[in-house]
Every structure is written in C-alpha cells, then in structure tokens.
Amino acid sequence: MRILVTDGMDKDALQALKDNGHEVVEQFYAPEELGAALKEFDAVVVRSATKIRANHIDEAKGGKLKLIIRGGVGVDNIDVKYAEAAGITVKNTPRASSQSVAELAMAHMFACARFISIAGHTMREDKWEKKAYGKGIELQGKTLGIVGFGRIGQHLGVMAKAIGMNVIAEDIFHIPGIEEKLGIPYVELDELLAKSDFISVHAPAVDGGALINAETIAKMKDGVTIINTSRGTNVDEAALLAGLESGKVRSAGLDVYADEPATNKALYSHPMVSCTPHIGAATKEAQKRIGTEIVEIIESFGK
C-alpha cells in the first residue's frame, strides 16, 4: 500500500510498515491541498491536526484511498459516515492512549488542588508566594465525577480510588458489570454535578452544544474544579471563565480548547487554570502503542 502519514508516527512503527513492503510518505498538507493529495494514497494516518472533511473525501473520489486511520481515540476530526458512504473504511486506536490521557487528567487535578502551575510560574519571576499558594486542598476524601465512562474515564476512576477519592460516573451507555468490577456507580448527570468536588470530562464531542455550560455549572458545588482532556467544544469557555471569575469554579485543568492552537488567552492565562497544549496522548508509551495498533490495522486490512 501507499500510505500517507500527516501528523507524525512512532519511528519503529514507520519502519515496520516499510519493512513490510509499504511505501510511506510523511507530509502534512494544508486543508486546501489535502483532498487532491489523498487521491494518490491507499491509506492515510492522521492524529488531531489533520481534519478530513466531506469536501476532501469528494476530491479523493476516483482515486486510491480506501482506509483512514486516526491515531488516537476520538474520530471527530473525520467525517466518518460520509467516508464510509464513499466506500472508505475508518479506523482508530482506542486502547493505546487511554492510560496516558487519564494520567494527564490526574496530573491536572493535583496541579489545580495545590496551585502547581501558577506557583511554579511565579517562582520563575523570582517571587516567593508561599502564603498565597499555601492554602491548597487534598484529593483524598473528595468526590470525583467522571462524565463519559469509557476506557479513559475508567483508568482515571481506578487511579482516583487508589488515592482515596470517592468516584461516581455518568454516561449515556452503561457497561454491564463495570460498577461491580470497579466499585464506581453510575449516576444521573444532575446528581453528579451536585455531588462532585472535581468533574473530569471524557466524552466525545457531541452535537447540540457544550456538556459543561452556564446551566450545568450553576448546578455544581461552589468551588468545583473542572478538568477537560476530551474535546475543547465539550466546555463552553465563556461560561467556564465566568465561573472562575465569580469563584463558583475554584479551578480548571485544560488540555483541549475550542480553537487549537488556543486563542482564548483570558482563559488559559487565568491564575486558577492549569493548562497544557493538547498533549494527552503524547507519551512515549502511548505513541509506541498507537504505532503498533496502526501497523496491525494496516496489515489486517482486507484480509
């Protein structure tokens, strides 16, 4: 197969594809050039930077393209149904990065609880703000509400329980037996909002607006911490910033944003926001697992 890799890939996996006889081209294409380029490849591997939309698929029709692989969990940067209607298979690697994203969510929880982001920043400005940042909180004994209880949410729930947090979860899909297996109960969203000290979002992007908005924030505890490592559009950034300014929201940990690169400076520079530039899956271990899964998908395709 002739394979296009647009957003980078583990070097060992790239070499494995080449060793297996495939031609691999590593190149990022601007949106206006992507559709025409796709015609020349049997498969394309993307991460989050490349977005394959209906117009790209239309331009690629009549060409070689028959497989799109998203190296990661979510596939909202691909018009999946449109691609499949055009006879193009869409795959992802849902297992590979779950632990990495869950660990980053946990890291943001610690950072928010103990002012790690802003305290470290002020030290680089030669300030010693011990009094200002000496009033942190512990995670132990607090309630974590997980919105979206798939693989990432489950990994986070297990870690949170291990440090003594109470964990509850909400999801439109209930996995049989998971409550007993992990000791984490499903609850309705309103109950989760009312009971949680920390809320971590792990749902795919949804139609119909943000999951965390002014209405849902109003239902939360005063002083809640909101973590989002899922999709930027799952959180209404204006509502979150208003919550931070009013004190309704104590702090927030963000890895994803409505626009990327992030443009809402008032939000990401807020002193009570711990922020990272969409690096949830960016660990050596996750990238190696993603690469392995991609190779497996390609080698089994059509068999």
Side-chain angles (χ1 to χ4, degrees), residues 2-301:
R2 191 162 191 258
I3 302 164
L4 173 64
V5 177
T6 63
D7 303 330
M9 188 172 157
D10 176 70
K11 60 180 176 48
D12 290 337
L14 284 169
Q15 189 59 51
L17 290 173
K18 294 173 184 178
D19 291 345
N20 290 344
H22 304 291
E23 179 187 352
V24 182
V25 176
E26 295 180 81
Q27 184 171 341
F28 177 82
Y29 285 93
E32 62 272 16
E33 300 172 340
L34 180 62
L38 291 176
K39 294 182 72 170
E40 307 302 319
F41 294 90
D42 300 287
V44 57
V45 179
V46 305
R47 290 178 63 185
S48 57
T50 297
K51 295 172 176 55
I52 301 180
R53 300 306 184 199
N55 62 299
H56 301 127
I57 294 163
D58 284 340
E59 289 183 70
K61 285 178 180 176
K64 302 170 65 175
L65 186 65
K66 50 186 176 285
L67 176 63
I68 300 171
I69 303 174
R70 161 73 161 99
V73 180
V75 290
D76 46 286
N77 57 324
I78 302 165
D79 284 349
V80 177
K81 291 182 179 179
Y82 199 86
E84 292 177 340
I88 300 168
T89 299
V90 180
K91 297 283 189 180
N92 65 344
T93 60
R95 300 181 303 276
S97 58
S98 299
Q99 182 67 27
S100 296
V101 178
E103 287 189 12
L104 183 64
M106 178 63 78
H108 276 299
M109 289 167 60
F110 278 113
C112 288
R114 300 302 301 272
F115 307 104
I116 292 171
S117 181
I118 184 62
H121 177 76
T122 56
M123 285 193 69
R124 294 182 183 93
E125 297 177 336
D126 296 322
K127 298 176 183 177
W128 188 256
E129 304 280 6
K130 183 172 182 177
K131 283 188 177 180
Y133 304 123
K135 298 176 182 177
I137 59 175
E138 295 180 356
L139 298 186
Q140 184 178 15
K142 302 299 190 297
T143 296
L144 167 64
I146 299 174
V147 180
F149 203 48
R151 292 182 179 89
I152 297 171
Q154 291 166 34
H155 280 294
L156 177 61
V158 169
M159 287 190 289
K161 280 179 66 68
I163 63 168
M165 298 188 80
N166 306 308
V167 183
I168 54 179
E170 184 275 338
D171 201 307
I172 57 173
F173 302 106
H174 285 199
I175 303 169
I178 200 73
E179 293 174 284
E180 294 78 13
K181 179 182 178 183
L182 301 183
I184 298 172
Y186 284 110
V187 298
E188 295 299 319
L189 182 59
D190 280 357
E191 182 180 349
L192 182 145
L193 297 174
K195 288 184 174 180
S196 299
D197 302 293
F198 289 77
I199 294 174
S200 192
V201 183
H202 298 283
V206 295
D207 296 329
L211 293 167
I212 305 300
N213 52 39
E215 181 181 357
T216 53
I217 289 173
K219 296 177 180 179
M220 296 176 189
K221 278 185 175 183
D222 291 344
V224 68
T225 291
I226 297 170
I227 309 294
N228 187 20
T229 57
S230 60
R231 288 292 179 265
T233 53
N234 281 337
V235 173
D236 182 325
E237 293 185 349
L240 176 59
L241 185 57
L244 288 162
E245 294 292 348
S246 71
K248 173 70 176 181
V249 179
R250 177 185 178 274
S251 53
L254 304 174
D255 185 51
V256 290
Y257 309 87
D259 298 310
E260 294 187 2
T263 57
N264 193 338
K265 188 172 182 178
L267 180 62
Y268 67 71
S269 63
H270 193 283
M272 293 304 290
V273 171
S274 170
C275 54
T276 47
H278 202 155
I279 59 170
T283 63
K284 292 179 180 179
E285 295 87 349
Q287 293 311 305
K288 188 165 289 294
R289 290 192 296 265
I290 288 171
T292 299
E293 279 198 50
I294 289 170
V295 172
E296 290 172 354
I297 290 168
I298 289 172
E299 295 310 323
S300 63
F301 182 71

